[in-house]
């Protein structure tokens, strides 16, 4: 037996007991005649004491030889500390060690295993097992485990069945790129790893499972941005005989449950916003509602007044930064440079300071007198002391730019408070999205999303412009500006699904080849159904006020899709490829 | 809103209420002026009633047009049935339908959706969504969901953290064949899908997670036997600072818990048996303990008596089939043919009938008189009325053959009773297994398994014969002759791991290339650790007294690794292969 207790367990009540502990040496303080060692495991830290006076000489010497991260086993008596540490639960006691055994020595770690580690990203990824010893990283992984359990308990309690769908499926070129897996038994053929279990969960509804969920790995072979992973995890759900309202209520309930049980936070009912309004008021389909700063459109007040930038713009739109009229010229210039960066792409920034004395100072003072600016202020709800920031240009682009500016002002003004959670349902997404470049429609959500019932006749008979205006029973859950999940009511009718595939540019043959099984299934008694998927990694991060999902994944990959620890991907033997009937193409080495 | 209740919910108490139900038409009985329709969903069946007298004419006509598996929505009043059906929970009531809506019609299913379906395997696989509507299949999937939840609750309660390990890892040629996944971002390189999260869970122990579990998909590209799947699910676990005893106790607790909560069965403490004894007494490392029929070795009594078959055999060994002395000559001949089939491979079968009158009748009566046979009977524990069955030959082979014969006799004699569960721990597996053909050692469990502590010096210094005799801290859980899971205490020392790789035929370079990260991790403070993995699909099947795991997988693949429903694997576009820098080799079409 390696231990009678773990390192976070002993209290003053156990004083006098003889115990055995095992763990890692966190650090030692050697005072010559006395030595204290912090012994660490997942559960906490317990202080060990060795003394020249009381300890056996060999034991004392062995204790002195212990390095950081040595794995040891000790036995000894629990004694009361003379100087207690109120910061840790075991701070009242220490162990007077009478037996010490080194279970495994440790080389000096390449970085310090502390909160403020000196290890860079690459080093910590390579030695991920050491990085995972740090409390914050370990807590993230433990939080993730607790969250998955609570999700499962809640959904099971609501009558959902967790069903494992297959990982070796079929490649469908629609959407993101698939990872494919050569089949040895079927040479020349490939499986694909699922980007989501979408068609399988719909099949489960057709099979009568009624309520399905799964916490499931999904795979996308995309070029990786900072916060994307080739494999990620979804809370995937589907329900039969439901309307959008049923789904929103169920998953609002789930979200409230996990915030309550894991964060102790009781969230009020989630507000709802139409997609069109979200874009109009926040320039984004995932507005951060921790602060206001809604957009005000100024076309009626700002256009046709002789200022060419506004006159030629499709949209003039602004926000109010409360109490920021004191912004200096330098600060304004800096902000102007910020919105003009290529990542934002605005052509300029118009500011109006509403001074405390009621006067105005603006970059467009030449074109607009105080009376005109006062009308702006009134429309925008600005008060003396506020700063109005205005952008102009093509509608979609300008809204996106102002969204970025709004978020930046929110950050600068400290409006995104830690521990503040503002969920929001965004509703009625468009069904289709026109891709100017490819000259085709994409599915805004995915090809299985149903148009709103009242839009179905228009979809079946409408012209090109009509298609752009179709709305879907599609919805996203947003928390603090992060998209936590999205879903839709699905098509369950073969004809409507076929029409949607046609709109998306599928030939009948392609549709049949890729999704024939699903369209076929629609003919054998498919119930109305819909669902949702939450990004599990993202939910973990957002619930902890963090922006990077990587910190909540035990073994993440880097931006090149590499696992730095195991050094994957890697070359494979020629024999393996021969078994799969594959050859490598000649690869031109890139010149650095 | 599609429904106020589901189809398994209404009782006599709801009589008089107006309700709305949705579901599938199971079947209708049309009596001309009256019609009854069974409406089905996941939760049950509710009877609908339509009558010429009370129903609107159009409604009655519509009801008559309903085919099997039509999806409908009805509203109406709950009324008490005149003739009740005590076999279903809703049998006291029926719905007097006042509104009927066809939500989706259905074509005639290609097979009947009933317990005794007329659909063949291939047809049911292709239309898996229809097969999944059958009660028994659906119950299997629901059982699986409940089992996974109970496993998670139990292990979480025991302090285990569920950690998701990656699915895109590195190919290691040791063991079974990997599925590999070409990396587009790293051309010429491949990920592999995990055969198990073995190295990652050990890494998690080194990172201090202490107790890990995961219900996880694993992948093996093996030629498929009847009951193997290319992707399967494990309950995977690992613990730090533990001995074998700790692991056995924890997972015996888990097993008892799931039997108790899901089957209502309280299992007594599990017996334990050494691997050597299992082979000696049952000829198998997974003995079915639902019945006795232990082996008795007869070398001392049977050899050197002039019967050449015995005299030349390494082992003479038998079983007693209680009360089967009445076996006819024809039955014995049939049994002899059975053991001589190539799948069993025995060269013959010796029988001894211990007649009720105390006399003996045997195929070796020429060589052994009644006194000699009585000595056999005494040693074997046979009584008058019993049949002794004896095989002879090379030890390992003969044991395997007698194991098959024992199981066959168990089946014939009806000794494998439904609802009877006999778990068993098999302990102390050998560390290494000599492969005569390849002239090399294989790891009996896997390359990370630790030899028993007392065997470590012999391992580090022993000769070839010594290596064959090394025992490991490795254990299997067996229930009713099926291997539910297995595990081991792992090596946590770099030197010992390196030695094991050498014994297994790895060069230092190969070991470093494939498992260098793990051996490196051993040097940074690796705790003693061990673990176990349960076959989740197998556990589902065994708990339900079934032998096929396929019935517990929502979307299984067939013996050619194909998903018949979605028709995967399949060819992919040339462009996809070009992006991956892959070419297909020319594939010779096989001539049928």
């Amino acid at each position: 037996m390696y231990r009678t207790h773990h390192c976070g367990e002993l209290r003053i009540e156990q004083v006098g007991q003889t115990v055995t502990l095992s763990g890692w040496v966190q650090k030692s303080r050697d005072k010559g005649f006395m030595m204290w060692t912090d012994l660490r495991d997942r559960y906490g830290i317990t202080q060990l004491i060795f003394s020249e006076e009381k300890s056996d000489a060999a034991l004392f010497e062995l204790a002195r030889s212990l390095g950081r991260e040595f794995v040891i086993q000790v036995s000894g008596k629990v004694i009361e500390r003379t100087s207690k540490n109120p910061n840790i639960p075991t701070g009242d006691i220490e162990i007077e060690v009478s037996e010490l055994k080194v279970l495994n020595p440790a080389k000096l770690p390449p970085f310090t295993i502390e909160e403020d580690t000196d290890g860079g990203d690459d080093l910590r990824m390579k030695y991920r097992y050491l990085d995972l010893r740090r409390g914050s990283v370990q807590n993230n992984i433990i939080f993730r485990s607790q969250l998955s359990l609570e999700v499962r308990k809640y959904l099971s309690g609501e009558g959902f069945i967790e069903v494992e769908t297959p990982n070796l499926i079929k490649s469908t070129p629609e959407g993101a790129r698939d990872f494919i897996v050569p089949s040895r038994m079927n040479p020349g053929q490939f499986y694909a790893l699922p980007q989501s279990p979408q068609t399988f969960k719909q099949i489960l509804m057709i099979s009568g499972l009624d309520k399905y969920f799964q916490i499931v790995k999904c795979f996308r072979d995309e070029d990786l941005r900072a916060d994307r992973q080739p494999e990620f995890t979804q809370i995937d759900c589907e329900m039969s005989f439901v309307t959008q309202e049923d789904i929103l209520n169920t998953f609002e309930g789930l979200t409230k449950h996990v915030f309550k049980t894991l964060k102790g936070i009781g969230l009020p009912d989630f507000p709802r916003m139409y997609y069109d309004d979200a874009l109009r008021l926040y320039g984004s389909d995932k507005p951060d509602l921790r602060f206001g700063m809604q957009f005000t459109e100024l076309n009626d007040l700002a256009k046709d007044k002789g200022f060419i930038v506004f006159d030629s713009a499709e949209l003039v739109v602004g926000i109010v930064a409360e109490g920021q009229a004191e912004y200096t010229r330098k600060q304004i210039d800096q902000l102007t440079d910020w919105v003009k960066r290529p990542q934002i792409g605005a052509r300029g920034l118009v500011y109006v300071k509403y001074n405390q004395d009621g006067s105005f100072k603006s970059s467009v003072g030449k074109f607009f007198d105080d009376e005109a600016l006062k009308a702006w202020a009134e429309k925008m709800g600005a008060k003396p002391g506020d700063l109005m920031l205005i952008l102009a240009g093509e509608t979609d682009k300008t809204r996106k730019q102002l969204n970025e500016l709004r978020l930046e002002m929110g950050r600068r003004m400290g409006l995104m408070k830690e521990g503040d959670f503002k969920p929001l349902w965004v509703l009625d997404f468009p069904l289709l999205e026109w891709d100017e470049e490819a000259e085709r429609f994409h599915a805004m959500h995915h090809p299985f999303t149903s148009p709103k019932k009242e839009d179905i006749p228009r979809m079946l008979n409408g012209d090109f412009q009509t298609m752009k205006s179709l709305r879907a029973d599609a919805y996203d859950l947003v928390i603090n500006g992060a998209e936590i999940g999205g879903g839709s009511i699905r098509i369950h009718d073969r004809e409507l699904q076929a029409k949607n595939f046609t709109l998306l540019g599928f030939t009948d043959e392609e549709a049949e080849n890729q999704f024939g099984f699903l369209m076929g299934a629609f003919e054998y008694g498919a119930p109305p159904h819909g669902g949702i998927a939450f990004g599990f990694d993202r939910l973990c991060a957002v619930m902890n006020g963090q922006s990077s999902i990587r910190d909540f994944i035990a073994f993440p990959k880097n931006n090149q899709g590499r696992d730095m620890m195991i050094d994957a991907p890697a070359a494979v033997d020629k024999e393996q490829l021969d078994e799969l009937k594959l050859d490598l193409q000649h690869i031109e080495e890139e010149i650095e």
Side-chain angles (χ1 to χ4, degrees), chain A:
Chain A
M1 198 189 47
Y2 283 100
R3 58 188 175 191
T4 55
H5 298 76
H6 56 65
C7 295
E9 199 169 356
L10 294 168
R11 301 283 184 277
I12 194 82
E13 291 75 29
Q14 276 88 35
V15 164
Q17 289 186 16
T18 298
V19 300
T20 300
L21 301 180
S22 290
W24 285 261
V25 172
Q26 174 78 6
K27 61 173 185 225
S28 295
R29 274 168 304 137
D30 191 340
K31 296 276 180 192
F33 58 99
M34 297 273 266
M35 200 180 103
W36 292 270
T37 296
D38 281 352
L39 188 66
R40 185 197 73 227
D41 65 12
R42 184 184 112 200
Y43 311 94
I45 281 177
T46 299
Q47 182 167 290
L48 313 177
I49 181 165
F50 304 90
S51 74
E52 213 165 45
E53 191 185 343
K54 294 193 177 170
S55 304
D56 172 272
L59 174 75
F60 196 59
E61 200 180 331
L62 182 59
R64 277 214 162 127
S65 74
L66 297 175
R68 282 189 179 218
E69 302 305 318
F70 272 45
V71 183
I72 62 170
Q73 180 184 28
V74 296
S75 295
K77 213 163 73 175
V78 184
I79 60 172
E80 186 170 359
R81 281 205 214 179
T82 44
S83 77
K84 298 197 167 65
N85 178 353
N87 298 321
I88 59 171
T90 62
D92 287 348
I93 58 92
E94 59 195 353
I95 312 295
E96 200 175 68
V97 177
S98 52
E99 281 175 58
L100 165 64
K101 192 171 164 187
V102 175
L103 297 174
N104 218 346
K107 294 205 293 195
L108 189 70
F111 53 87
T112 55
I113 300 184
E114 283 164 3
E115 275 324 278
D116 288 320
T117 178
D118 55 359
D121 250 14
D122 281 0
L123 202 59
R124 289 192 290 115
M125 284 297 196
K126 181 169 178 194
Y127 295 93
R128 183 65 172 167
Y129 44 93
L130 299 179
D131 200 31
L132 279 167
R133 285 188 194 158
R134 297 194 303 130
S136 60
V137 185
Q138 206 160 91
N139 287 341
N140 287 348
I141 301 302
I142 292 172
F143 178 87
R144 183 183 178 104
S145 175
Q146 291 168 333
L147 180 58
S148 74
L149 185 66
E150 284 304 330
V151 168
R152 288 189 159 104
K153 279 188 191 166
Y154 184 85
L155 291 177
S156 298
E158 295 287 314
F160 284 78
I161 306 295
E162 185 162 23
V163 182
E164 293 174 59
T165 52
N167 273 19
L168 295 172
I169 65 167
K170 188 167 163 175
S171 187
T172 54
E174 174 71 13
R177 213 181 274 106
D178 284 323
F179 282 105
I180 61 172
V181 183
S183 167
R184 180 181 54 86
M185 288 210 276
N186 305 274
Q189 302 191 354
F190 295 78
Y191 302 101
L193 301 179
Q195 296 186 31
S196 92
Q198 182 61 36
T199 51
F200 288 97
K201 67 177 174 172
Q202 293 191 241
I203 286 288
L204 287 172
M205 293 304 101
I206 296 168
S207 73
L209 252 286
D210 206 71
K211 290 177 173 182
Y212 145 92
F213 86 104
Q214 188 181 192
I215 300 186
V216 60
K217 273 279 178 72
C218 300
F219 304 86
R220 280 180 206 174
D221 183 13
E222 294 177 291
D223 296 322
L224 301 174
R225 296 187 308 225
D227 204 29
R228 246 192 213 164
Q229 287 282 318
E231 47 180 312
F232 55 97
T233 303
Q234 275 187 194
I235 308 171
D236 192 53
C237 302
E238 199 77 6
M239 303 167 79
S240 290
F241 301 116
V242 290
T243 59
Q244 170 176 291
E245 192 62 29
D246 299 309
I247 294 177
L248 300 192
N249 288 336
T250 303
F251 291 90
E252 186 164 324
L254 169 67
T255 309
K256 286 176 175 173
H257 173 80
V258 296
F259 269 90
K260 189 77 204 166
T261 50
L262 294 174
K263 307 292 293 179
I265 294 171
L267 293 176
D269 288 347
F270 300 180
R272 298 175 180 195
M273 192 182 290
Y274 292 116
Y275 172 87
D276 288 347
D277 292 336
L279 288 193
R280 189 170 51 79
L281 295 172
Y282 298 94
S284 165
D285 59 4
K286 40 178 193 262
D288 188 335
L289 294 195
R290 281 176 295 180
F291 61 102
M293 228 187 267
Q294 282 188 358
F295 294 7
T296 305
E297 301 192 348
L298 294 170
N299 282 17
D300 53 344
L301 297 177
K303 288 184 66 148
D304 305 326
K305 309 289 180 193
F307 179 44
I308 181 77
V309 172
F310 285 178
D311 290 354
S312 64
E314 194 182 355
L315 178 69
V316 182
V317 59
I319 53 174
V320 177
E322 258 183 81
Q324 305 299 310
E326 305 292 303
Y327 253 51
T328 62
R329 180 72 214 202
K330 200 175 151 194
Q331 283 175 301
I332 296 278
D333 284 349
Q334 201 192 34
L335 210 55
T336 307
D337 288 344
W338 190 89
V339 298
K340 286 167 86 173
R341 294 182 317 151
Q343 299 94 311
I344 311 293
R347 290 210 260 153
L349 172 67
V350 169
Y351 75 89
V352 183
K353 292 181 185 179
Y354 194 168
N355 296 318
Q356 289 290 359
D357 63 6
S359 69
F360 291 91
K361 165 105 180 102
S362 169
S363 48
V364 292
K366 262 188 282 185
F367 302 95
F368 300 92
D369 58 17
D370 276 16
E371 196 181 344
L373 296 176
K374 181 144 199 192
W376 292 18
E378 268 167 25
K379 186 161 191 203
M380 293 174 77
K383 305 172 307 298
D386 292 349
L387 173 68
M388 296 176 259
L389 298 168
I390 293 129
L391 295 178
E394 190 269 313
T395 301
D396 290 353
K397 279 187 191 158
T398 307
R399 283 175 170 172
K400 272 187 197 142
Q401 292 157 3
L402 193 60
N403 165 52
E404 296 290 344
L405 180 60
R406 172 180 175 270
L407 293 174
E408 176 64 13
M409 291 308 293
R411 275 187 289 270
R412 290 186 183 206
M413 293 163 66
L415 301 175
M416 295 156 166
K417 296 220 177 61
E418 206 179 317
D420 186 19
F421 295 99
K422 286 290 184 289
L424 169 72
W425 287 112
V426 179
L427 307 180
D428 288 7
F429 277 69
L431 183 70
L432 302 167
E433 190 175 24
W434 180 250
D435 183 335
E436 285 290 354
E437 213 161 300
E439 295 200 318
R440 51 162 291 194
F441 281 115
H442 291 293
M444 188 89 174
H445 184 56
H446 58 49
F448 312 102
T449 297
S450 177
K452 289 189 92 67
K453 216 172 208 170
E454 55 270 32
D455 284 4
I456 292 178
R458 294 200 300 134
M459 175 173 170
L460 290 174
N461 304 306
D463 61 9
F464 173 73
Q465 282 307 324
T466 307
M467 296 308 150
K468 284 186 170 177
S469 73
L470 296 172
R471 289 162 309 143
D473 268 331
Y475 31 85
D476 274 1
L477 177 63
V478 174
I479 300 179
N480 294 359
E483 183 193 326
I484 294 301
S488 63
I489 298 296
R490 326 299 184 186
I491 296 168
H492 62 277
D493 172 84
R494 183 179 180 119
E495 190 196 352
L496 198 60
Q497 186 65 66
K499 173 72 182 179
N500 207 27
F501 281 135
T502 305
L503 287 173
L504 294 170
F506 284 72
T507 64
D508 287 354
E509 199 195 345
E510 284 167 348
E512 182 59 36
N513 186 32
Q514 289 171 39
F515 300 111
F517 69 97
L518 183 64
M519 291 198 291
F522 286 162
E523 299 185 301
Y524 286 100
H529 61 286
I532 195 165
F534 277 12
F536 186 64
D537 312 290
R538 172 75 50 213
L539 181 60
C540 286
V542 167
M543 286 183 75
N544 288 285
Q546 295 190 27
S547 59
S548 167
I549 62 169
R550 204 183 279 185
D551 296 335
F552 291 83
I553 296 173
F555 301 101
K557 293 193 171 53
N558 74 5
N559 284 356
Q560 283 74 50
R562 294 201 75 79
D563 183 318
M564 302 280 282
M565 183 181 75
I566 64 171
D567 195 26
V572 297
D573 293 344
K574 174 87 173 86
E575 296 84 68
Q576 267 178 293
L577 294 179
D578 283 342
E579 275 199 311
L580 299 168
K581 307 290 181 200
L582 289 178
D583 285 326
L584 295 182
Q585 291 177 4
H586 177 70
I587 297 160
E588 301 280 342
E589 291 294 326
E590 277 176 40
I591 293 152
E592 304 266 321

